[in-house]
Amino acid sequence: MKLTFLGTGTSTGVPSIACDCETCSSQDPRDKRLRVSVVIEHGDQTVLVDTSSDFRQQALRYGLKHLDAVLITHCHADHIFGLDDIRPLNFRFGALGIYANEHAWTDIRRIFKYIFEPSHFGGGLPQVIAHTVQPNASFFLGRELEITPLEVIHGRLPVMAYRFNDFAYATDLSEIPAQTMESMRGLDVLVLDCLRFREHPTHLWVDKALAYIDELKPRRAFLTHIAHDVLHERDSQRLPPNIKWAYDGLEVEG
Ligand SMILES: [Zn+2]
Ligand SMILES: [Zn+2]
Ligand SMILES: [Zn+2]
Protein backbone atom coordinates (compact mmCIF):
# COMPACT_ATOMS: atom_id res chain seq x y z
CA MET A 1 0.00 0.00 0.00
CA LYS A 2 1.21 3.49 -0.81
CA LEU A 3 -0.43 6.72 0.31
CA THR A 4 0.68 9.99 -1.32
CA PHE A 5 -0.33 13.34 0.12
CA LEU A 6 -1.39 15.58 -2.78
CA GLY A 7 -2.36 18.36 -0.37
CA THR A 8 -2.15 18.92 3.38
CA GLY A 9 -3.45 22.47 3.84
CA THR A 10 -6.54 23.88 5.47
CA SER A 11 -9.34 25.33 3.34
CA THR A 12 -7.48 28.55 2.42
CA GLY A 13 -4.32 26.70 1.44
CA VAL A 14 -0.94 27.77 2.83
CA PRO A 15 0.39 30.34 2.15
CA SER A 16 -2.87 32.14 2.71
CA ILE A 17 -3.65 35.02 0.35
CA ALA A 18 -2.39 38.39 1.68
CA CYS A 19 -0.72 36.88 4.78
CA ASP A 20 2.89 37.74 5.71
CA CYS A 21 3.20 35.45 8.73
CA GLU A 22 6.27 33.28 9.33
CA THR A 23 4.72 30.16 7.76
CA CYS A 24 3.24 31.96 4.77
CA SER A 25 6.66 33.57 4.13
CA SER A 26 8.60 30.34 4.71
CA GLN A 27 10.87 29.01 1.97
CA ASP A 28 10.55 25.43 3.31
CA PRO A 29 8.53 23.48 0.70
CA ARG A 30 6.87 21.59 3.56
CA ASP A 31 5.18 24.86 4.56
CA LYS A 32 3.45 25.15 1.17
CA ARG A 33 0.16 23.29 1.44
CA LEU A 34 -2.41 22.74 -1.27
CA ARG A 35 -5.94 21.74 -0.23
CA VAL A 36 -6.17 18.26 1.34
CA SER A 37 -6.27 15.15 -0.80
CA VAL A 38 -4.50 11.78 -0.92
CA VAL A 39 -3.97 9.03 -3.47
CA ILE A 40 -3.97 5.41 -2.30
CA GLU A 41 -2.28 2.80 -4.49
CA HIS A 42 -2.59 -0.88 -3.74
CA GLY A 43 -2.49 -3.91 -6.03
CA ASP A 44 -3.90 -2.75 -9.36
CA GLN A 45 -6.01 0.03 -7.81
CA THR A 46 -5.40 3.79 -7.67
CA VAL A 47 -7.93 5.70 -5.59
CA LEU A 48 -8.21 9.45 -4.96
CA VAL A 49 -9.78 10.86 -1.80
CA ASP A 50 -11.53 14.17 -2.59
CA THR A 51 -11.31 16.29 -5.74
CA SER A 52 -9.86 19.32 -3.97
CA SER A 53 -10.01 22.84 -5.35
CA ASP A 54 -6.34 22.25 -6.29
CA PHE A 55 -6.99 18.88 -7.99
CA ARG A 56 -5.81 19.87 -11.49
CA GLN A 57 -2.53 21.28 -10.18
CA GLN A 58 -2.04 18.23 -7.94
CA ALA A 59 -2.71 15.72 -10.73
CA LEU A 60 -0.15 17.47 -12.95
CA ARG A 61 2.43 17.92 -10.19
CA TYR A 62 2.33 14.26 -9.14
CA GLY A 63 1.96 12.80 -12.64
CA LEU A 64 -1.41 11.18 -12.03
CA LYS A 65 -2.15 8.98 -15.05
CA HIS A 66 -5.20 6.98 -14.07
CA LEU A 67 -7.83 6.62 -11.35
CA ASP A 68 -10.02 3.63 -10.55
CA ALA A 69 -12.28 5.52 -8.12
CA VAL A 70 -12.77 8.74 -6.20
CA LEU A 71 -13.94 8.73 -2.58
CA ILE A 72 -15.52 11.89 -1.20
CA THR A 73 -15.29 12.81 2.49
CA HIS A 74 -17.79 15.72 2.37
CA CYS A 75 -18.81 18.66 0.25
CA HIS A 76 -17.00 21.67 1.65
CA ALA A 77 -15.52 23.65 -1.22
CA ASP A 78 -11.89 22.71 -0.48
CA HIS A 79 -12.73 18.99 -0.91
CA ILE A 80 -15.03 18.98 -3.92
CA PHE A 81 -14.48 21.98 -6.18
CA GLY A 82 -12.00 20.15 -8.43
CA LEU A 83 -14.61 17.60 -9.56
CA ASP A 84 -14.92 19.14 -13.03
CA ASP A 85 -11.21 18.39 -13.61
CA ILE A 86 -11.76 14.63 -13.78
CA ARG A 87 -12.81 15.21 -17.42
CA PRO A 88 -9.39 14.50 -19.01
CA LEU A 89 -9.47 11.09 -17.26
CA ASN A 90 -13.03 10.53 -18.57
CA PHE A 91 -11.87 11.35 -22.10
CA ARG A 92 -9.22 8.61 -21.86
CA PHE A 93 -10.86 5.98 -19.68
CA GLY A 94 -14.62 6.70 -19.61
CA ALA A 95 -16.88 7.28 -16.63
CA LEU A 96 -15.34 7.27 -13.17
CA GLY A 97 -16.90 5.78 -10.02
CA ILE A 98 -17.43 8.37 -7.29
CA TYR A 99 -18.22 7.19 -3.76
CA ALA A 100 -19.90 9.50 -1.23
CA ASN A 101 -22.51 9.35 1.50
CA GLU A 102 -26.14 10.34 0.98
CA HIS A 103 -25.62 13.81 2.46
CA ALA A 104 -22.68 14.50 0.14
CA TRP A 105 -24.58 13.28 -2.93
CA THR A 106 -27.38 15.76 -2.19
CA ASP A 107 -24.80 18.55 -2.16
CA ILE A 108 -22.88 17.27 -5.21
CA ARG A 109 -26.11 17.16 -7.24
CA ARG A 110 -26.88 20.75 -6.23
CA ILE A 111 -23.38 22.22 -6.62
CA PHE A 112 -22.68 20.41 -9.90
CA LYS A 113 -26.27 20.48 -11.24
CA TYR A 114 -24.98 20.79 -14.82
CA ILE A 115 -23.37 17.34 -14.62
CA PHE A 116 -26.60 15.60 -13.73
CA GLU A 117 -29.07 17.76 -15.67
CA PRO A 118 -27.15 18.74 -18.78
CA SER A 119 -28.95 21.53 -20.60
CA HIS A 120 -26.37 22.38 -23.23
CA PHE A 121 -25.64 20.53 -26.44
CA GLY A 122 -22.22 18.98 -26.81
CA GLY A 123 -19.75 17.05 -24.71
CA GLY A 124 -17.26 18.17 -22.13
CA LEU A 125 -19.10 17.13 -18.98
CA PRO A 126 -17.61 15.02 -16.18
CA GLN A 127 -18.81 11.41 -16.46
CA VAL A 128 -19.68 10.12 -13.03
CA ILE A 129 -20.91 6.74 -11.82
CA ALA A 130 -22.54 7.49 -8.45
CA HIS A 131 -22.07 5.07 -5.56
CA THR A 132 -23.58 5.79 -2.14
CA VAL A 133 -21.55 4.60 0.84
CA GLN A 134 -22.89 3.64 4.26
CA PRO A 135 -20.90 3.76 7.50
CA ASN A 136 -19.10 0.46 8.17
CA ALA A 137 -20.42 -1.15 4.95
CA SER A 138 -17.07 -2.33 3.55
CA PHE A 139 -16.48 -3.01 -0.12
CA PHE A 140 -13.57 -4.12 -2.29
CA LEU A 141 -11.93 -2.35 -5.20
CA GLY A 142 -9.99 -4.98 -7.10
CA ARG A 143 -9.29 -8.11 -5.10
CA GLU A 144 -6.95 -6.71 -2.48
CA LEU A 145 -8.14 -3.24 -1.47
CA GLU A 146 -10.87 -3.34 1.18
CA ILE A 147 -12.45 0.04 1.87
CA THR A 148 -14.50 0.73 4.98
CA PRO A 149 -16.38 4.06 5.11
CA LEU A 150 -16.33 5.42 8.65
CA GLU A 151 -18.56 8.16 10.00
CA VAL A 152 -16.90 11.04 11.86
CA ILE A 153 -18.40 14.35 12.99
CA HIS A 154 -17.20 17.69 11.55
CA GLY A 155 -18.81 20.28 13.84
CA ARG A 156 -22.36 19.02 13.29
CA LEU A 157 -21.87 17.50 9.83
CA PRO A 158 -21.49 13.72 9.43
CA VAL A 159 -18.41 13.23 7.25
CA MET A 160 -16.86 10.08 5.80
CA ALA A 161 -13.43 8.87 6.79
CA TYR A 162 -12.10 5.81 5.00
CA ARG A 163 -10.16 2.76 6.08
CA PHE A 164 -8.02 1.04 3.41
CA ASN A 165 -6.88 -2.34 4.78
CA ASP A 166 -4.63 -1.20 7.67
CA PHE A 167 -4.39 2.46 6.60
CA ALA A 168 -7.06 5.04 7.52
CA TYR A 169 -7.65 8.61 6.34
CA ALA A 170 -9.80 10.83 8.56
CA THR A 171 -9.87 14.55 7.83
CA ASP A 172 -12.30 17.33 8.70
CA LEU A 173 -13.60 16.11 12.03
CA SER A 174 -14.03 17.28 15.58
CA GLU A 175 -15.39 14.01 17.06
CA ILE A 176 -14.88 10.31 16.38
CA PRO A 177 -17.99 8.34 17.44
CA ALA A 178 -17.42 5.24 19.59
CA GLN A 179 -18.42 2.79 16.85
CA THR A 180 -15.94 4.39 14.44
CA MET A 181 -13.20 4.19 17.09
CA GLU A 182 -13.77 0.42 17.19
CA SER A 183 -13.34 0.25 13.40
CA MET A 184 -10.01 2.14 13.59
CA ARG A 185 -8.13 -0.37 15.75
CA GLY A 186 -5.02 -2.21 14.58
CA LEU A 187 -3.88 0.42 12.07
CA ASP A 188 -0.42 0.64 10.58
CA VAL A 189 -1.01 4.21 9.39
CA LEU A 190 -3.57 6.76 10.59
CA VAL A 191 -3.90 10.10 8.82
CA LEU A 192 -5.81 12.47 11.08
CA ASP A 193 -7.20 15.98 10.83
CA CYS A 194 -5.22 18.49 12.92
CA LEU A 195 -5.61 22.16 12.14
CA ARG A 196 -3.27 23.78 14.63
CA PHE A 197 -2.38 23.96 18.35
CA ARG A 198 -5.33 26.14 19.41
CA GLU A 199 -8.86 24.72 19.77
CA HIS A 200 -11.32 24.88 16.88
CA PRO A 201 -15.08 24.16 16.73
CA THR A 202 -15.07 21.89 13.64
CA HIS A 203 -11.52 20.48 13.46
CA LEU A 204 -9.15 18.61 15.74
CA TRP A 205 -6.23 20.50 17.26
CA VAL A 206 -2.96 19.02 18.55
CA ASP A 207 -4.02 17.98 22.09
CA LYS A 208 -7.27 16.40 20.93
CA ALA A 209 -5.69 14.67 17.90
CA LEU A 210 -2.92 13.25 20.10
CA ALA A 211 -5.51 11.97 22.60
CA TYR A 212 -7.32 10.05 19.82
CA ILE A 213 -4.01 8.70 18.50
CA ASP A 214 -3.05 7.61 22.00
CA GLU A 215 -6.31 5.70 22.30
CA LEU A 216 -6.19 4.13 18.82
CA LYS A 217 -2.47 3.31 18.91
CA PRO A 218 -1.71 3.14 15.18
CA ARG A 219 1.91 2.22 14.42
CA ARG A 220 2.39 5.61 12.73
CA ALA A 221 0.24 8.74 12.51
CA PHE A 222 0.32 11.76 10.18
CA LEU A 223 -1.51 15.04 10.77
CA THR A 224 -3.15 16.91 7.89
CA HIS A 225 -5.50 19.85 7.05
CA ILE A 226 -2.86 22.10 8.57
CA ALA A 227 -3.27 25.86 9.02
CA HIS A 228 -0.56 28.53 8.74
CA ASP A 229 -0.15 28.50 12.53
CA VAL A 230 2.06 25.43 12.06
CA LEU A 231 5.67 25.89 10.88
CA HIS A 232 6.81 22.43 9.79
CA GLU A 233 10.40 22.32 11.03
CA ARG A 234 9.85 24.16 14.32
CA ASP A 235 6.61 22.40 15.24
CA SER A 236 7.78 18.90 14.32
CA GLN A 237 9.74 18.97 17.57
CA ARG A 238 6.49 19.36 19.50
CA LEU A 239 5.15 15.94 18.40
CA PRO A 240 5.97 12.43 19.70
CA PRO A 241 8.34 10.40 17.46
CA ASN A 242 5.67 8.23 15.75
CA ILE A 243 3.49 11.26 14.89
CA LYS A 244 4.42 13.62 12.04
CA TRP A 245 3.01 16.66 10.31
CA ALA A 246 2.22 15.53 6.77
CA TYR A 247 3.41 17.66 3.87
CA ASP A 248 2.56 17.85 0.17
CA GLY A 249 4.33 15.10 -1.77
CA LEU A 250 5.01 12.89 1.27
CA GLU A 251 4.67 9.20 0.40
CA VAL A 252 3.91 6.63 3.10
CA GLU A 253 4.33 2.94 2.32
CA GLY A 254 3.11 -0.04 4.30
ZN1 LIG B 1 -11.54 20.89 4.64
ZN1 LIG C 1 0.00 33.13 7.24
ZN1 LIG D 1 -14.79 20.59 5.90
Side-chain angles (χ1 to χ4, degrees):
M1 181 104 62
K2 183 167 95 171
L3 180 152
T4 305
F5 287 93
L6 304 189
T8 57
T10 190
S11 59
T12 55
V14 178
S16 178
I17 291 171
C19 184
D20 300 320
C21 80
E22 194 177 355
T23 304
C24 291
S25 313
S26 166
Q27 293 306 306
D28 186 337
R30 297 168 302 179
D31 290 319
K32 301 199 183 300
R33 305 174 184 127
L34 297 177
R35 268 57 76 87
V36 291
S37 176
V38 291
V39 164
I40 304 282
E41 294 167 86
H42 185 62
D44 60 351
Q45 297 293 303
T46 303
V47 178
L48 175 75
V49 185
D50 289 335
T51 52
S52 89
S53 23
D54 294 316
F55 172 62
R56 177 178 175 275
Q57 187 183 350
Q58 292 165 331
L60 293 172
R61 176 185 285 183
Y62 297 107
L64 188 74
K65 299 292 186 210
H66 176 75
L67 283 177
D68 294 291
V70 178
L71 309 180
I72 301 296
T73 60
H74 67 305
C75 277
H76 285 161
D78 49 327
H79 297 258
I80 192 74
F81 273 24
L83 181 60
D84 197 78
D85 288 323
I86 66 167
R87 291 177 301 134
L89 298 171
N90 295 147
F91 300 154
R92 285 172 175 270
F93 305 111
L96 183 58
I98 312 278
Y99 294 75
N101 68 5
E102 193 75 55
H103 197 288
W105 274 119
T106 303
D107 286 344
I108 293 169
R109 288 198 162 88
R110 177 176 50 78
I111 296 165
F112 295 97
K113 190 163 184 281
Y114 66 95
I115 296 179
F116 301 95
E117 298 170 26
S119 57
H120 70 282
F121 182 75
L125 288 175
Q127 298 163 38
V128 167
I129 303 167
H131 298 275
T132 303
V133 300
Q134 306 285 348
N136 289 299
S138 301
F139 58 94
F140 275 84
L141 290 176
R143 272 187 292 186
E144 294 170 28
L145 182 60
E146 183 178 22
I147 298 177
T148 308
L150 302 169
E151 190 165 275
V152 292
I153 306 301
H154 182 25
R156 277 177 292 192
L157 182 69
V159 161
M160 286 292 116
Y162 292 96
R163 180 169 180 150
F164 306 87
N165 298 356
D166 60 355
F167 279 38
Y169 181 74
T171 189
D172 291 61
L173 66 103
S174 43
E175 294 288 338
I176 305 178
Q179 195 189 356
T180 296
M181 289 293 281
E182 289 313 306
S183 303
M184 294 173 87
R185 305 277 174 195
L187 290 171
D188 177 13
V189 170
L190 171 62
V191 178
L192 193 59
D193 178 282
C194 186
L195 193 69
R196 61 190 189 194
F197 288 88
R198 278 179 299 130
E199 290 187 19
H200 191 276
T202 63
H203 287 276
L204 296 182
W205 58 94
V206 168
D207 284 349
K208 195 167 178 185
L210 263 51
Y212 277 131
I213 293 166
D214 195 47
E215 204 178 331
L216 291 171
K217 297 189 172 30
R219 204 164 70 79
R220 298 171 281 171
F222 297 87
L223 307 177
T224 194
H225 214 290
I226 307 162
H228 63 163
D229 308 52
V230 174
L231 191 65
H232 185 92
E233 183 72 35
R234 178 193 70 201
D235 293 324
S236 290
Q237 290 149 29
R238 299 171 71 180
L239 298 177
N242 64 328
I243 304 174
K244 312 277 187 212
W245 296 107
Y247 55 87
D248 293 19
L250 174 64
E251 296 179 355
V252 180
E253 297 195 47

